[in-house]
Amino acid sequence: MADIDSESGRSTPRKRADARRNEATLLDAAAAAFVISGVDAPVRDIAARAGVGVGTIYRHFPTRADLIVAVYRHQVEACAQAGPTLLADSSTPHAALAQWINLFVDFLVTKHGLAEALQSDNAAFETLHAYFLDRLVPVCAQLLDAAAAAGEIRTDVTAFELLRGVGNLCIGAGAPRYDARRMVELLVAGLRHHRGGGPR
Amino acid sequence: MADIDSESGRSTPRKRADARRNEATLLDAAAAAFVISGVDAPVRDIAARAGVGVGTIYRHFPTRADLIVAVYRHQVEACAQAGPTLLADSSTPHAALAQWINLFVDFLVTKHGLAEALQSDNAAFETLHAYFLDRLVPVCAQLLDAAAAAGEIRTDVTAFELLRGVGNLCIGAGAPRYDARRMVELLVAGLRHHRGGGPR
DNA sequence: TTGGCAAACGGAACGCTGTTCCGTATCGTT
DNA sequence: AACGATACGGAACAGCGTTCCGTTTGCCAA
């Protein structure tokens, strides 16, 4: 068996044991707090839940975005990796795109406040923005290009724009009479070419 | 010449002169502050701009929603009243719907932070929610029904849902690479029946 | 014109946020 | 065991919305 240490790179000289323990505890506490109060859960709540001081949070996660990214990184990775798989397994690129967007929507609507945070222009969420975009835009672009190459959709919509639109539609999901999934379905439908076009 | 007093109803015994003056001043100040800082402009900023104390704001507008509604009431009314007009003047109900939604979008994207506030689940915005819904949902429903009766669109989308979706898409309008109008156009396009259905 | 009272005002004060900072405690090594 | 570096805790600060009450101001009646 190789090194126990998960940080096998040599650049960082390995953190103290209590630091690593606290980081893990904080991730759990934050995940729990996010479920209850959304991703805007007060810093003090998270700290109390983890049994640490607020300073410890800021030491490990300088901005709220860092904490959010750390909590959801695994799920975002899974979503990103599902893209190529879907493209290979689906009957048409457009079907793959629709399925992949469904995955993304399922992820978003179950994270209270995340969609809101994603569109926030608050500087504290810049990292969050960047991470989601870096990770998901290329995947979406690949699906979009494939569908465009197959002539299934219009070509004047960018992956960035589509993801942002989908993210926006997920804001407030869970409200009584609003079904974010249905609206996203409409948006994706609008992406298709209209057979026969509009009024002549 | 009739009564100078704009409040000709007898139910309210007519406010003091300074109170009416301050209310008008506050509306101007709030409108100006909203342009600069969005509808979340700090209460103290608005108060300072109007040259009054913060207490005066809360006396006239108990919640932020009351202030926002007061500032934008005229424009919302205009939008609501444009609905029937468009329906009468347009070639098809769907065209009228599209034009009306464009009006709504134009209004939203020029009010920094308003779309965000509209979807906020914060209790302070309940009145805002209620006002927009009361005023615009019936108008949208009329256009939607007309388009549905003409067989132009699918019938499983409610006016409430559509307005909410459009409002959501307007969040973050003004961001560099995101065109809210285009996304709304996509959504409205998705509303139409697909000629010929899916891939053969 | 003036007296008085209800209406309205101003801003200090409170509570809740995020964020910073430094004295103290702990870990790992020598 | 001792020491230095690392990490911790939480008090303290700043910015926000909101409340509250002593003071001022407008209005009307005498």
Side-chain angles (χ1 to χ4, degrees):
Chain A
M1 48 181 67
D3 56 358
I4 294 293
D5 185 8
S6 62
E7 192 74 45
S8 50
R10 117 151 13 120
S11 56
T12 39
R14 171 129 157 267
K15 287 193 295 194
R16 253 169 58 173
D18 55 346
R20 275 186 296 162
R21 209 179 327 127
N22 274 331
E23 185 165 327
T25 306
L26 270 173
L27 278 180
D28 288 347
F34 287 174
V35 170
I36 305 297
S37 316
V39 298
D40 295 312
V43 181
R44 275 175 254 263
D45 284 5
I46 302 173
R49 210 179 267 269
V52 304
V54 290
T56 301
I57 293 193
Y58 283 97
R59 198 166 310 106
H60 288 284
F61 307 100
T63 73
R64 174 157 237 113
D66 295 318
L67 183 55
I68 298 175
V69 169
V71 167
Y72 295 129
R73 173 160 265 147
H74 286 20
Q75 295 184 55
V76 174
E77 291 301 315
C79 184
Q81 287 169 12
T85 307
L86 284 173
L87 190 54
D89 294 355
S90 296
S91 53
T92 73
H94 182 274
L97 177 64
Q99 281 187 265
W100 183 75
I101 284 184
N102 273 339
L103 283 183
F104 183 49
V105 171
D106 285 341
F107 168 68
L108 275 188
V109 299
T110 53
K111 273 73 192 174
H112 190 189
L114 181 56
E116 287 85 339
L118 267 182
Q119 322 299 345
S120 164
D121 54 357
N122 188 323
F125 292 113
E126 215 170 315
T127 309
L128 186 67
H129 238 97
Y131 174 68
F132 269 79
L133 262 39
D134 283 1
R135 207 64 195 84
L136 299 182
V137 163
V139 177
C140 184
Q142 188 187 351
L143 291 163
L144 222 40
D145 287 347
E152 295 177 312
I153 60 169
R154 45 198 286 185
T155 56
D156 61 344
V157 176
T158 66
F160 171 81
E161 208 164 21
L162 179 60
L163 278 184
R164 176 135 193 171
V166 170
N168 271 5
L169 288 176
C170 290
I171 291 177
R177 297 162 43 69
Y178 178 68
D179 185 349
R181 287 171 227 261
R182 170 118 47 92
M183 287 297 109
V184 171
E185 184 194 313
L186 235 58
L187 192 73
V188 175
L191 213 51
R192 307 195 68 141
H193 283 126
H194 296 290
R195 310 272 174 102
R200 189 146 44 131
Chain B
M1 51 180 68
D3 56 358
I4 295 291
D5 185 8
S6 63
E7 191 72 44
S8 50
R10 125 156 0 128
S11 56
T12 39
R14 171 129 154 267
K15 286 192 295 195
R16 253 169 56 172
D18 56 344
R20 273 185 298 160
R21 208 179 329 126
N22 274 332
E23 186 164 327
T25 306
L26 270 173
L27 278 180
D28 288 347
F34 288 176
V35 170
I36 305 296
S37 317
V39 298
D40 296 312
V43 181
R44 275 175 253 261
D45 284 5
I46 302 174
R49 210 179 266 270
V52 304
V54 291
T56 302
I57 293 193
Y58 284 97
R59 199 166 310 107
H60 288 283
F61 307 100
T63 74
R64 173 158 237 111
D66 296 317
L67 184 55
I68 299 176
V69 168
V71 167
Y72 295 128
R73 174 160 265 146
H74 287 20
Q75 294 185 57
V76 174
E77 290 302 314
C79 184
Q81 286 169 13
T85 306
L86 283 172
L87 190 53
D89 293 355
S90 295
S91 53
T92 73
H94 182 273
L97 176 64
Q99 282 187 264
W100 184 75
I101 284 183
N102 273 339
L103 282 184
F104 183 49
V105 171
D106 284 342
F107 168 67
L108 276 188
V109 299
T110 54
K111 273 74 193 173
H112 191 189
L114 181 56
E116 288 84 340
L118 267 182
Q119 321 300 345
S120 164
D121 53 357
N122 188 325
F125 292 113
E126 214 170 317
T127 309
L128 186 68
H129 237 99
Y131 173 68
F132 269 79
L133 262 40
D134 284 359
R135 208 62 195 82
L136 299 182
V137 162
V139 177
C140 184
Q142 188 188 350
L143 291 162
L144 223 41
D145 287 348
E152 295 178 312
I153 61 170
R154 43 198 286 185
T155 57
D156 60 345
V157 177
T158 66
F160 171 81
E161 207 164 23
L162 180 60
L163 278 183
R164 176 133 195 172
V166 170
N168 271 5
L169 287 177
C170 289
I171 291 177
R177 298 162 44 70
Y178 178 69
D179 184 349
R181 287 170 227 263
R182 170 118 46 92
M183 287 297 109
V184 171
E185 185 194 314
L186 236 59
L187 192 71
V188 175
L191 214 50
R192 306 194 69 141
H193 284 126
H194 295 289
R195 313 261 175 109
R200 185 131 55 126

